[in-house]
């Protein structure tokens, strides 16, 4: 069984979509399965992260911005792929460092996430995008 999720972004940061995935898994009603999520883009990532305190998401975004600043930052002058804007190549680097797919066990018809875990799309580009995530239950 498979489906897709469209996620609108408004710039860099983490967008939680746990509820949408949980609703789809509940409708599919598998007793036991493995859920695979895969983002179909090269400048964003998928994460399982804490969803209780929004400071976690803002701190992660700030950390990765500091780790990989825009290509117009003097520390990034070695980059050659710069014609798509100062956020493009840094977005590809962040996506190379972070997962673009996740696997989550489904047991008794529910995702086996921990109490404070949520599923996030991590947008690395500065302008809005429509991102597509493919979900597969096996």
């Amino acid at each position: 069984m498979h489906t897709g999720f469209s996620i609108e972004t408004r710039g860099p940061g983490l967008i939680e979509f746990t509820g949408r995935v949980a609703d789809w898994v509940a409708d599919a009603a598998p007793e036991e399965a493995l859920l695979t999520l895969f983002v179909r883009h090269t400048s964003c990532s998928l994460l399982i992260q804490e969803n209780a305190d929004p400071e976690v998401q803002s701190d992660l975004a700030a950390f990765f911005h500091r780790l990989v600043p825009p290509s117009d930052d003097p520390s990034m002058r070695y980059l050659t792929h710069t014609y798509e804007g100062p956020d493009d190549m840094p977005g590809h680097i962040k996506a190379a460092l972070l997962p673009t797919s996740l696997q989550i066990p489904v047991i008794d018809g529910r995702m086996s996430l921990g109490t404070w875990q949520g599923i996030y799309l991590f947008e690395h580009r500065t302008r809005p995008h429509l991102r597509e995530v493919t979900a597969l239950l096996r």
Side-chain angles (χ1 to χ4, degrees):
M1 179 165 230
H2 65 89
T3 194
F5 298 95
S6 295
I7 301 169
E8 291 184 36
T9 69
R10 293 186 173 97
L14 287 92
I15 299 114
E16 186 175 8
F17 65 109
T18 312
R20 293 174 61 192
V21 177
D23 290 346
W24 176 71
V25 169
D27 288 345
E31 185 63 25
E32 290 184 355
L34 184 62
L35 168 65
T36 300
L37 299 170
F38 174 74
V39 66
R40 302 180 60 209
H41 305 277
T42 60
S43 56
C44 61
S45 307
L46 295 174
L47 294 178
I48 294 175
Q49 199 46 255
E50 179 182 325
N51 64 0
D53 185 348
E55 288 178 347
V56 172
Q57 291 90 55
S58 60
D59 284 350
L60 280 169
F63 171 78
F64 279 97
H65 179 77
R66 192 170 178 180
L67 181 67
V68 186
S71 63
D72 55 5
D73 183 284
S75 69
M76 301 297 277
R77 75 180 109 222
Y78 64 91
L79 295 176
T80 58
H81 178 77
T82 59
Y83 55 87
E84 291 184 56
D87 64 330
D88 185 52
M89 190 60 214
H92 294 302
I93 293 169
K94 292 170 189 173
L97 295 171
L98 296 166
T100 55
S101 66
L102 302 171
Q103 290 189 309
I104 302 167
V106 175
I107 300 170
D108 296 328
R110 295 180 38 207
M111 292 185 295
S112 294
L113 292 173
T115 302
W116 307 115
Q117 287 183 317
I119 303 167
Y120 292 88
L121 180 122
F122 193 171
E123 177 62 66
H124 303 309
R125 300 291 306 268
T126 57
R127 67 179 175 81
H129 283 82
L130 181 63
R131 301 302 195 169
E132 300 295 327
V133 176
T134 299
L136 176 68
L137 273 173
R138 287 239 175 226

